[in-house]
Amino acid sequence: MSEKIYVGADHAGFDLKQQLVAELKKLGYEPIDVGPKALDPADDFPDYAKPVAEAVSQGTARRGILT
């Protein structure tokens, strides 16, 4: 079983997140993309940071990445 890594971003990091998710898959990880699913300039970073932080703090994932 591959390691789950939660990944999230706001509109400024959206493109980087997309690239990061693809690269993590190539490396054999299981990225859990918490969003956003589409680029939206109105995105608010805390909306995506919260599920990443909760997954790591609750032990659901060992690592998380926010862009």
Side-chain angles (χ1 to χ4, degrees):
M1 178 188 241
S2 60
E3 180 182 348
K4 292 180 182 177
I5 300 178
Y6 279 61
V7 183
D10 64 0
H11 62 278
F14 179 78
D15 291 333
L16 178 59
K17 178 186 66 84
Q18 298 300 99
Q19 294 172 6
L20 180 61
V21 167
E23 190 63 27
L24 287 170
K25 286 179 182 178
K26 286 181 192 175
L27 293 171
Y29 293 98
E30 183 182 346
I32 307 299
D33 185 350
V34 299
K37 303 302 181 194
L39 181 59
D40 181 353
D43 281 337
D44 195 15
F45 191 73
D47 294 336
Y48 304 104
K50 183 179 179 182
V52 173
E54 286 177 341
V56 174
S57 68
Q58 294 171 357
T60 304
R62 291 178 49 210
R63 296 188 255 191
I65 302 171
L66 298 167
T67 62

